[in-house]
Amino acid sequence: MTMTTSVLEELLQSMPHLRSQMYFKASLTALSHAMEDQVLADTGQPLVIANFQRERFYRQEVNRYLRIAALTPQVYVLAAAETEFSNRSDHYEMVAFDANDELRHEWHLVVIGARYSACLICRERQGVSDFEGAEGMTVDQTRRFEGVWTFDRHVSCEAAKLLLNRVAYYRPEIIKKVEQARADFLTDGPLPPRDIDPDPFAQRLVTYLQAGQYKLLKAYRSIAAQERRERLANLITTAIRRSLNPQEIFAVAVKELGQAMEVCRCLIYRCKARDQAAQIHHEYRFEEGLASLHGESWPLADNPLFQVLTESLEPVAIVDTEQTQAFDLEAVRSLIDRWQIRSWLMVPIVYQGRLLGVIELQSCIADPHDWSADEMSLVEAIATQLGTTLIQAESYAHLEDLNEQLEALERTRSNLIAITGHELRTPLSTIQICLESLSSEPDMPLELRQVMLSSALSDAERMRTLVQDFLTLSQLESGRVKWHLEPLDLEECVDLALSGIRTRQSEGKMPTITANVSLPELPLVRADGEWLVELLSKLLDNACKFTEPEGQVVIEARPASDAKAMLEVTIRDTGRGIEPNRLEAVFERFYQEEGALRRTAGGTGLGLAICRQIVVGLGGKIWAESAGRDQGTQFHFTIPTADTARSAPPPAIAPSRPPRRSSNPKRASLR
C-alpha cells in the first residue's frame, strides 16, 4: 500500500498557524548541513530523522550520517530505493519507501535534542525544475521547494511524529525502537530550557555562503571568458568573410585581442621555425605613450623563448622577466630593457604541426602579470582560428595562382595552335607545291627548277627551326640541361654568333652590325660556350629581324654597375621599338607583338623565352628597354665573370655536348 499524503500537508493541517515559504535547493543544502553540524558539535544524543527523496541524493551524504550515527542511536534515514538502498538496520535505520510515495517529492530533516530542536519540512514544486541538463541530470540550481524551517520545539515534535509514523509503516519490525524514540523525545510536558550554541550553525551557513559566492564568481569568470572567446571568434570570422587577406585579419585580431586582454602590448606576426627575425606589422598598445614596435625587426634566432616555442609548439609564459629561473634571458636582456617587458606570453599559431606565426602579449608595468589559465586558453583559441585562417588564405592564393596559370596555359595553347598552324602550314604548302611542280613537269627550265628547290629548302629550314625551338625551350624549362661552365672570351663567342648572321648581311638584307667587345679591360666570362653563342645568336637575330636594312645593330659589353663579378652585355638596335608596358611580356612564350596570323616578320615567339631561360641558367638576368614605337630597343643581360686573369690564355672554346645541326655552312664548331 502506498502513502498518498504529504508530510508537509499533514503538518500544515495540524498546525494552521504555520506559513510555508519558498526555498531554492542551495538554501536547503546550507540549512541541512548547518543543522547536521549542530548535531556533530553537541555532546547529547538527539533524534535525527532525514528524508533524502531518492537514493542518489542520499549517497552524497553517507559519510556525514555515519559520523552522526556514532553519536546517537536514534537516526532514521528515508529514501526511495533505486539500486542498493533497502530496509535494514546498520549504523542507523534505513527506510526504503515506495517509489510512488509522496515522500519521493519531499525533503525533510528533523533534529530533536535535550536542549534544542530544529526541523526542515519541504516539498519540491513540480513543473518548475523538471528539465534535464547536458548529461541527463536534473539541474540543481533550478530546483525549488516550499515548506517550513524553524527552531520551534512544538513544530519539530509534530514533524517528528509524522515521520516516525512513516518509519513504523515501512519498518514494523523496529516498532519498539520507534516507540522508545517517541517516549524519549516526544512526551507532553513542560519544555526543557533552551540552551543552544548558535556558533556551529552560523559558521556552517557562512562557510556555505562563501563557497557559493566563490562558485558563482568562478562561473561568472568562466562565462565572461567564454563570451570574450566567442566575441573575438565572431570578429575574426567576420573579418575572414569580408576578406581572406591575412593582413586585414591580423589587424582586426591584434586590436580586439589586445583590448580584451588589457595588456600593454599585443603583437601578431608571421614566421617559420628557422627564421632569424620577423617584421612587426601588427601591434596593439594599451597606452599611446608606450614605445611602438611597429616596423621593427623582431629577433627570433637568439630568443630562448622562441626556441622553446618552436620545439614544443606550446605557449611559453613568463610572469617576471627579472626573476625567472626557468629561462636564461641574458641573450634578450637588452631587448627586455629597451621595450620594458616585465611579463611575457608567446603563443604559437600552428596548423597540423607547422608553425605559421606567433601571438605575443607583453606587460610593461611594474607589477608582474600572472598569466591565468583562462587568458592562455583565450589566446590559444584565437591562435587556432588564425592558423586555420592563414591556411585558408594560402589555399585561396594558391587557387588564384593556379587559375592564373591555367589561364596562361590556355593562352599558350591558343597561341601554340595559331602559331604552329601558321608556321607549319605555310612552308608545308610551299614545299608541296614545289615538289608537285618538279614531279609533274620534268621539262621545267633549269633556272625555274633551281628556284623551286631553293624555296622548298628554305621552308624546310623554317620548319626545322620551329621544331628545334620547341625542343630547346622544353629542355631548358624541364631542368634537364647540364651546364658546363668554363672561362670564355666573350669576343670569340660574339664572332661565332655573328658568323651566320653576316651571311645574310652580305646579301644586303640586314642592317649594319657593329661589335664593341674587344676592349682589353673586359674580363673573361664563366659560361657554357654553346649556350652563350645560342643566346647571342637569338638576340642578334631578333634585333636584325625588326630593324630596317638601313638601320644599325650594336653589341657592347662592360662591367655591371649594380653587381660585382658580373659582365653586362647590351644589344642595341634602331628598329621599330617596343611599347614600355610590353617590355616584360616580350619574354613570354609565344609572344607575338603583331599577332600570329598577320606578322610581317616570321618566327615562333619562342626566341626571347629561350634567351631568358639561358641567362637564368648561367646565373644572370635579362631585361629590355625601349622608349616606344620606332625608338629602337636595347636588350641587356648579365653573365658572371671568371676568376681567371685576363692576361692568361683562355682555353679552347668547345661545346659541352654534340653541337646542334645548323643549316648555316659558316656556323662551325667553337674550336
Short mmCIF file of all heavy atoms in Angstrom, two decimals, residues 337-381:
data_model
loop_
_atom_site.label_atom_id
_atom_site.label_comp_id
_atom_site.label_asym_id
_atom_site.label_seq_id
_atom_site.Cartn_x
_atom_site.Cartn_y
_atom_site.Cartn_z
N ASP A 337 64.97 45.19 -21.69
CA ASP A 337 65.16 46.52 -21.09
C ASP A 337 64.70 47.62 -22.03
O ASP A 337 64.08 48.61 -21.59
CB ASP A 337 66.64 46.71 -20.75
CG ASP A 337 67.10 45.75 -19.66
OD1 ASP A 337 66.23 45.23 -18.93
OD2 ASP A 337 68.31 45.50 -19.55
N ARG A 338 64.99 47.47 -23.32
CA ARG A 338 64.63 48.53 -24.26
C ARG A 338 63.12 48.69 -24.37
O ARG A 338 62.61 49.82 -24.39
CB ARG A 338 65.22 48.21 -25.63
CG ARG A 338 64.85 49.25 -26.70
CD ARG A 338 65.36 48.83 -28.05
NE ARG A 338 64.96 49.79 -29.08
CZ ARG A 338 65.14 49.61 -30.39
NH1 ARG A 338 65.76 48.51 -30.83
NH2 ARG A 338 64.72 50.51 -31.26
N TRP A 339 62.40 47.55 -24.41
CA TRP A 339 60.95 47.62 -24.61
C TRP A 339 60.17 47.43 -23.32
O TRP A 339 58.96 47.28 -23.35
CB TRP A 339 60.52 46.58 -25.65
CG TRP A 339 61.21 46.77 -26.96
CD1 TRP A 339 62.21 46.01 -27.47
CD2 TRP A 339 61.00 47.81 -27.90
NE1 TRP A 339 62.62 46.49 -28.68
CE2 TRP A 339 61.90 47.61 -28.98
CE3 TRP A 339 60.14 48.91 -27.95
CZ2 TRP A 339 61.95 48.45 -30.08
CZ3 TRP A 339 60.20 49.75 -29.05
CH2 TRP A 339 61.09 49.52 -30.09
N GLN A 340 60.87 47.44 -22.18
CA GLN A 340 60.24 47.45 -20.85
C GLN A 340 59.30 46.26 -20.66
O GLN A 340 58.18 46.40 -20.14
CB GLN A 340 59.49 48.75 -20.62
CG GLN A 340 60.33 49.99 -20.78
CD GLN A 340 59.53 51.27 -20.68
OE1 GLN A 340 58.31 51.25 -20.58
NE2 GLN A 340 60.22 52.40 -20.69
N ILE A 341 59.73 45.07 -21.02
CA ILE A 341 58.88 43.88 -20.93
C ILE A 341 59.06 43.27 -19.54
O ILE A 341 60.14 42.78 -19.20
CB ILE A 341 59.25 42.85 -22.02
CG1 ILE A 341 59.17 43.49 -23.41
CG2 ILE A 341 58.33 41.64 -21.93
CD1 ILE A 341 59.66 42.59 -24.52
N ARG A 342 58.01 43.28 -18.74
CA ARG A 342 58.06 42.70 -17.39
C ARG A 342 57.48 41.29 -17.39
O ARG A 342 58.02 40.38 -16.76
CB ARG A 342 57.30 43.59 -16.40
CG ARG A 342 57.45 43.14 -14.95
CD ARG A 342 58.89 43.20 -14.49
NE ARG A 342 59.09 42.68 -13.16
CZ ARG A 342 59.01 43.43 -12.05
NH1 ARG A 342 58.73 44.73 -12.15
NH2 ARG A 342 59.24 42.90 -10.88
N SER A 343 56.35 41.11 -18.05
CA SER A 343 55.73 39.78 -18.17
C SER A 343 55.53 39.49 -19.66
O SER A 343 55.18 40.39 -20.43
CB SER A 343 54.40 39.72 -17.42
OG SER A 343 54.59 40.04 -16.06
N TRP A 344 55.71 38.20 -20.03
CA TRP A 344 55.81 37.86 -21.46
C TRP A 344 55.04 36.57 -21.72
O TRP A 344 55.22 35.57 -21.02
CB TRP A 344 57.28 37.67 -21.83
CG TRP A 344 57.62 37.94 -23.26
CD1 TRP A 344 56.79 38.02 -24.31
CD2 TRP A 344 58.94 38.16 -23.78
NE1 TRP A 344 57.48 38.27 -25.47
CE2 TRP A 344 58.82 38.37 -25.16
CE3 TRP A 344 60.19 38.21 -23.21
CZ2 TRP A 344 59.91 38.61 -25.99
CZ3 TRP A 344 61.30 38.45 -24.03
CH2 TRP A 344 61.16 38.65 -25.40
N LEU A 345 54.19 36.59 -22.73
CA LEU A 345 53.45 35.39 -23.15
C LEU A 345 53.57 35.25 -24.66
O LEU A 345 53.27 36.19 -25.40
CB LEU A 345 51.98 35.47 -22.75
CG LEU A 345 51.06 34.33 -23.25
CD1 LEU A 345 51.50 33.00 -22.65
CD2 LEU A 345 49.61 34.62 -22.93
N MET A 346 54.04 34.07 -25.11
CA MET A 346 54.16 33.78 -26.54
C MET A 346 53.32 32.53 -26.84
O MET A 346 53.52 31.49 -26.22
CB MET A 346 55.62 33.56 -26.94
CG MET A 346 56.51 34.75 -26.70
SD MET A 346 58.24 34.45 -27.18
CE MET A 346 58.07 34.31 -28.97
N VAL A 347 52.40 32.67 -27.78
CA VAL A 347 51.52 31.56 -28.16
C VAL A 347 51.70 31.29 -29.65
O VAL A 347 51.57 32.21 -30.47
CB VAL A 347 50.04 31.90 -27.86
CG1 VAL A 347 49.14 30.75 -28.31
CG2 VAL A 347 49.86 32.17 -26.38
N PRO A 348 52.03 30.06 -30.04
CA PRO A 348 52.28 29.77 -31.46
C PRO A 348 50.98 29.68 -32.26
O PRO A 348 49.95 29.23 -31.75
CB PRO A 348 52.99 28.41 -31.42
CG PRO A 348 52.45 27.76 -30.18
CD PRO A 348 52.23 28.89 -29.18
N ILE A 349 51.04 30.12 -33.49
CA ILE A 349 49.96 29.92 -34.46
C ILE A 349 50.36 28.71 -35.29
O ILE A 349 51.30 28.77 -36.09
CB ILE A 349 49.75 31.15 -35.34
CG1 ILE A 349 49.41 32.38 -34.48
CG2 ILE A 349 48.65 30.92 -36.36
CD1 ILE A 349 49.34 33.67 -35.27
N VAL A 350 49.67 27.61 -35.07
CA VAL A 350 50.08 26.33 -35.63
C VAL A 350 48.94 25.73 -36.44
O VAL A 350 47.77 25.89 -36.10
CB VAL A 350 50.50 25.35 -34.50
CG1 VAL A 350 50.96 24.02 -35.08
CG2 VAL A 350 51.59 25.96 -33.65
N TYR A 351 49.33 25.05 -37.51
CA TYR A 351 48.34 24.28 -38.26
C TYR A 351 48.99 22.96 -38.67
O TYR A 351 50.00 22.95 -39.38
CB TYR A 351 47.86 25.02 -39.51
CG TYR A 351 46.75 24.30 -40.24
CD1 TYR A 351 45.43 24.41 -39.82
CD2 TYR A 351 47.02 23.48 -41.33
CE1 TYR A 351 44.41 23.74 -40.47
CE2 TYR A 351 46.00 22.81 -41.99
CZ TYR A 351 44.69 22.95 -41.56
OH TYR A 351 43.68 22.27 -42.20
N GLN A 352 48.44 21.85 -38.16
CA GLN A 352 48.93 20.50 -38.46
C GLN A 352 50.42 20.38 -38.22
O GLN A 352 51.18 19.88 -39.05
CB GLN A 352 48.57 20.11 -39.90
CG GLN A 352 47.07 19.97 -40.13
CD GLN A 352 46.72 19.49 -41.52
OE1 GLN A 352 47.58 19.42 -42.40
NE2 GLN A 352 45.47 19.15 -41.74
N GLY A 353 50.86 20.87 -37.06
CA GLY A 353 52.25 20.73 -36.67
C GLY A 353 53.21 21.69 -37.34
O GLY A 353 54.42 21.57 -37.14
N ARG A 354 52.71 22.64 -38.11
CA ARG A 354 53.57 23.60 -38.81
C ARG A 354 53.39 24.98 -38.20
O ARG A 354 52.27 25.47 -38.08
CB ARG A 354 53.25 23.62 -40.30
CG ARG A 354 54.07 24.61 -41.10
CD ARG A 354 54.03 24.26 -42.58
NE ARG A 354 52.71 24.40 -43.14
CZ ARG A 354 52.31 25.48 -43.82
NH1 ARG A 354 53.14 26.48 -44.02
NH2 ARG A 354 51.10 25.53 -44.32
N LEU A 355 54.51 25.61 -37.80
CA LEU A 355 54.47 26.94 -37.21
C LEU A 355 54.22 27.97 -38.31
O LEU A 355 54.99 28.06 -39.27
CB LEU A 355 55.78 27.24 -36.47
CG LEU A 355 55.85 28.62 -35.79
CD1 LEU A 355 54.85 28.70 -34.65
CD2 LEU A 355 57.26 28.89 -35.28
N LEU A 356 53.16 28.76 -38.13
CA LEU A 356 52.81 29.79 -39.11
C LEU A 356 53.05 31.20 -38.59
O LEU A 356 53.20 32.12 -39.40
CB LEU A 356 51.34 29.65 -39.50
CG LEU A 356 50.89 28.29 -40.04
CD1 LEU A 356 49.40 28.29 -40.30
CD2 LEU A 356 51.65 27.94 -41.31
N GLY A 357 53.07 31.36 -37.29
CA GLY A 357 53.24 32.70 -36.73
C GLY A 357 53.19 32.64 -35.21
O GLY A 357 53.15 31.56 -34.60
N VAL A 358 53.19 33.81 -34.58
CA VAL A 358 53.23 33.89 -33.11
C VAL A 358 52.34 35.06 -32.67
O VAL A 358 52.30 36.11 -33.33
CB VAL A 358 54.66 34.11 -32.60
CG1 VAL A 358 54.67 34.36 -31.09
CG2 VAL A 358 55.54 32.90 -32.93
N ILE A 359 51.63 34.85 -31.56
CA ILE A 359 50.94 35.92 -30.85
C ILE A 359 51.74 36.21 -29.58
O ILE A 359 52.03 35.29 -28.81
CB ILE A 359 49.50 35.54 -30.48
CG1 ILE A 359 48.68 35.25 -31.73
CG2 ILE A 359 48.84 36.64 -29.67
CD1 ILE A 359 47.27 34.77 -31.43
N GLU A 360 52.10 37.47 -29.38
CA GLU A 360 52.85 37.86 -28.19
C GLU A 360 52.03 38.85 -27.37
O GLU A 360 51.47 39.80 -27.93
CB GLU A 360 54.19 38.50 -28.56
CG GLU A 360 55.25 37.51 -28.97
CD GLU A 360 56.64 38.13 -28.95
OE1 GLU A 360 56.84 39.10 -28.19
OE2 GLU A 360 57.51 37.65 -29.69
N LEU A 361 51.98 38.62 -26.07
CA LEU A 361 51.39 39.56 -25.13
C LEU A 361 52.48 40.00 -24.17
O LEU A 361 53.22 39.16 -23.63
CB LEU A 361 50.24 38.93 -24.35
CG LEU A 361 49.05 38.42 -25.18
CD1 LEU A 361 48.00 37.84 -24.25
CD2 LEU A 361 48.45 39.51 -26.02
N GLN A 362 52.61 41.31 -23.96
CA GLN A 362 53.66 41.86 -23.12
C GLN A 362 53.04 42.81 -22.10
O GLN A 362 52.26 43.70 -22.48
CB GLN A 362 54.71 42.58 -23.96
CG GLN A 362 55.38 41.70 -25.00
CD GLN A 362 56.24 42.49 -25.96
OE1 GLN A 362 56.38 43.70 -25.84
NE2 GLN A 362 56.83 41.80 -26.92
N SER A 363 53.40 42.62 -20.84
CA SER A 363 53.01 43.55 -19.79
C SER A 363 54.24 44.36 -19.41
O SER A 363 55.30 43.80 -19.12
CB SER A 363 52.48 42.79 -18.58
OG SER A 363 52.15 43.69 -17.54
N CYS A 364 54.09 45.69 -19.42
CA CYS A 364 55.23 46.58 -19.21
C CYS A 364 55.11 47.39 -17.92
O CYS A 364 55.84 48.37 -17.75
CB CYS A 364 55.39 47.51 -20.42
SG CYS A 364 55.53 46.64 -21.99
N ILE A 365 54.20 47.03 -17.04
CA ILE A 365 54.02 47.77 -15.80
C ILE A 365 54.96 47.20 -14.74
O ILE A 365 55.58 46.15 -14.93
CB ILE A 365 52.56 47.71 -15.31
CG1 ILE A 365 52.13 46.26 -15.08
CG2 ILE A 365 51.65 48.38 -16.32
CD1 ILE A 365 50.72 46.12 -14.57
N ALA A 366 55.05 47.88 -13.61
CA ALA A 366 56.00 47.49 -12.57
C ALA A 366 55.64 46.15 -11.94
O ALA A 366 56.52 45.33 -11.64
CB ALA A 366 56.07 48.57 -11.49
N ASP A 367 54.36 45.90 -11.72
CA ASP A 367 53.93 44.65 -11.09
C ASP A 367 53.85 43.53 -12.13
O ASP A 367 53.27 43.71 -13.20
CB ASP A 367 52.57 44.82 -10.43
CG ASP A 367 52.61 45.83 -9.29
OD1 ASP A 367 53.67 45.94 -8.66
OD2 ASP A 367 51.58 46.50 -9.06
N PRO A 368 54.43 42.37 -11.83
CA PRO A 368 54.36 41.24 -12.78
C PRO A 368 52.92 40.81 -13.01
O PRO A 368 52.06 40.95 -12.14
CB PRO A 368 55.18 40.14 -12.09
CG PRO A 368 56.03 40.85 -11.09
CD PRO A 368 55.25 42.05 -10.64
N HIS A 369 52.67 40.28 -14.19
CA HIS A 369 51.33 39.81 -14.56
C HIS A 369 51.34 38.29 -14.57
O HIS A 369 52.08 37.66 -15.31
CB HIS A 369 50.95 40.34 -15.95
CG HIS A 369 49.57 39.96 -16.38
ND1 HIS A 369 48.45 40.73 -16.12
CD2 HIS A 369 49.10 38.86 -17.04
CE1 HIS A 369 47.38 40.14 -16.62
NE2 HIS A 369 47.75 39.00 -17.18
N ASP A 370 50.51 37.71 -13.73
CA ASP A 370 50.40 36.24 -13.66
C ASP A 370 49.40 35.78 -14.71
O ASP A 370 48.20 36.00 -14.57
CB ASP A 370 49.97 35.82 -12.26
CG ASP A 370 50.06 34.30 -12.08
OD1 ASP A 370 50.55 33.63 -13.01
OD2 ASP A 370 49.65 33.80 -11.03
N TRP A 371 49.91 35.14 -15.75
CA TRP A 371 49.04 34.72 -16.85
C TRP A 371 48.14 33.59 -16.36
O TRP A 371 48.60 32.51 -16.02
CB TRP A 371 49.87 34.26 -18.05
CG TRP A 371 50.87 35.26 -18.50
CD1 TRP A 371 52.21 35.24 -18.29
CD2 TRP A 371 50.60 36.47 -19.23
NE1 TRP A 371 52.80 36.35 -18.85
CE2 TRP A 371 51.83 37.12 -19.43
CE3 TRP A 371 49.44 37.06 -19.72
CZ2 TRP A 371 51.94 38.32 -20.09
CZ3 TRP A 371 49.54 38.25 -20.39
CH2 TRP A 371 50.77 38.88 -20.58
N SER A 372 46.84 33.83 -16.36
CA SER A 372 45.89 32.84 -15.86
C SER A 372 45.58 31.80 -16.95
O SER A 372 45.86 32.01 -18.13
CB SER A 372 44.59 33.52 -15.43
OG SER A 372 43.91 34.08 -16.55
N ALA A 373 45.01 30.70 -16.50
CA ALA A 373 44.64 29.63 -17.44
C ALA A 373 43.58 30.12 -18.43
O ALA A 373 43.59 29.76 -19.61
CB ALA A 373 44.14 28.41 -16.68
N ASP A 374 42.64 30.95 -17.95
CA ASP A 374 41.61 31.48 -18.84
C ASP A 374 42.21 32.37 -19.91
O ASP A 374 41.80 32.32 -21.08
CB ASP A 374 40.57 32.27 -18.03
CG ASP A 374 39.67 31.35 -17.22
OD1 ASP A 374 39.60 30.15 -17.54
OD2 ASP A 374 39.05 31.83 -16.26
N GLU A 375 43.17 33.21 -19.53
CA GLU A 375 43.81 34.10 -20.51
C GLU A 375 44.56 33.29 -21.56
O GLU A 375 44.44 33.56 -22.76
CB GLU A 375 44.77 35.04 -19.79
CG GLU A 375 44.07 36.10 -18.95
CD GLU A 375 45.05 36.96 -18.18
OE1 GLU A 375 46.12 36.44 -17.79
OE2 GLU A 375 44.76 38.15 -17.96
N MET A 376 45.31 32.30 -21.11
CA MET A 376 46.07 31.48 -22.06
C MET A 376 45.12 30.69 -22.96
O MET A 376 45.38 30.53 -24.16
CB MET A 376 47.02 30.56 -21.31
CG MET A 376 48.09 31.30 -20.53
SD MET A 376 49.21 30.21 -19.62
CE MET A 376 50.04 29.38 -20.95
N SER A 377 44.03 30.21 -22.38
CA SER A 377 43.05 29.47 -23.19
C SER A 377 42.43 30.37 -24.25
O SER A 377 42.22 29.95 -25.40
CB SER A 377 41.97 28.90 -22.28
OG SER A 377 40.95 28.27 -23.03
N LEU A 378 42.15 31.62 -23.89
CA LEU A 378 41.57 32.56 -24.84
C LEU A 378 42.53 32.84 -26.00
O LEU A 378 42.15 32.79 -27.17
CB LEU A 378 41.22 33.87 -24.13
CG LEU A 378 40.77 35.03 -25.01
CD1 LEU A 378 39.51 34.65 -25.78
CD2 LEU A 378 40.53 36.27 -24.17
N VAL A 379 43.80 33.09 -25.66
CA VAL A 379 44.78 33.39 -26.71
C VAL A 379 45.00 32.16 -27.59
O VAL A 379 45.15 32.27 -28.82
CB VAL A 379 46.11 33.87 -26.09
CG1 VAL A 379 47.12 34.20 -27.18
CG2 VAL A 379 45.87 35.09 -25.22
N GLU A 380 45.03 30.97 -26.99
CA GLU A 380 45.20 29.75 -27.77
C GLU A 380 44.03 29.55 -28.73
O GLU A 380 44.23 29.11 -29.87
CB GLU A 380 45.33 28.55 -26.84
CG GLU A 380 46.66 28.44 -26.14
CD GLU A 380 46.78 27.15 -25.34
OE1 GLU A 380 47.18 26.12 -25.91
OE2 GLU A 380 46.45 27.19 -24.14
N ALA A 381 42.82 29.86 -28.28
CA ALA A 381 41.65 29.73 -29.16
C ALA A 381 41.77 30.66 -30.37
O ALA A 381 41.48 30.27 -31.51
CB ALA A 381 40.37 30.03 -28.38
#
